């Protein structure tokens, strides 16, 4: 959040409402969770299929759960930055940029 605070302050100063900034942060978090979860689940599924000798339904379910968990953890982790968005000192952050 500290690395992106200047960008978010600029968007806020440009007239973006807080709910749109919150949606931006949440969307980015979920997208990153989806990408990371899909990569991890895919690699894990491939490795498990190699070790098991075949792709089985329980392996697919485990991969789906891993993907869901990756997205959920990412979304939960975004709640704190979303909560502090309205407390950004816009003028100070823009002056530092």
């Amino acid at each position: 959040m500290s690395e992106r605070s200047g960008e978010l302050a600029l968007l806020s100063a440009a007239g973006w409402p807080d709910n749109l900034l919150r949606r931006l942060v949440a969307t980015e978090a979920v997208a990153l969770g989806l990408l990371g979860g899909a990569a991890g689940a895919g690699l894990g599924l491939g490795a498990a299929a190699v070790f098991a000798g075949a792709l089985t339904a329980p392996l697919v379910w485990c991969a789906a759960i891993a993907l869901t968990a990756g997205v959920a953890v990412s979304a939960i982790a975004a709640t704190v930055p979303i909560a502090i968005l309205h407390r950004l000192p816009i003028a100070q952050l823009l002056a530092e940029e």
Side-chain angles (χ1 to χ4, degrees):
M1 188 68 181
S2 62
E3 293 174 5
R4 303 271 326 271
S5 60
E7 297 170 20
L8 295 172
L10 180 62
L11 292 174
S12 181
W16 282 39
D18 281 345
N19 62 346
L20 194 56
L21 290 173
R22 287 185 187 106
R23 193 177 332 154
L24 173 69
V25 171
T27 302
E28 288 176 351
V30 169
L32 283 174
L34 193 61
L35 288 172
L43 289 173
L45 185 62
V50 167
F51 289 125
L55 190 62
T56 63
L59 291 177
V60 174
W61 279 107
C62 287
I65 291 169
L67 173 62
T68 304
V71 173
V73 166
S74 182
I76 291 168
T79 58
V80 172
I82 288 171
I84 63 171
L85 270 176
H86 70 280
R87 295 187 213 156
L88 290 177
I90 295 172
Q92 180 183 359
L93 289 170
L94 290 175
E96 291 174 0
E97 290 289 319

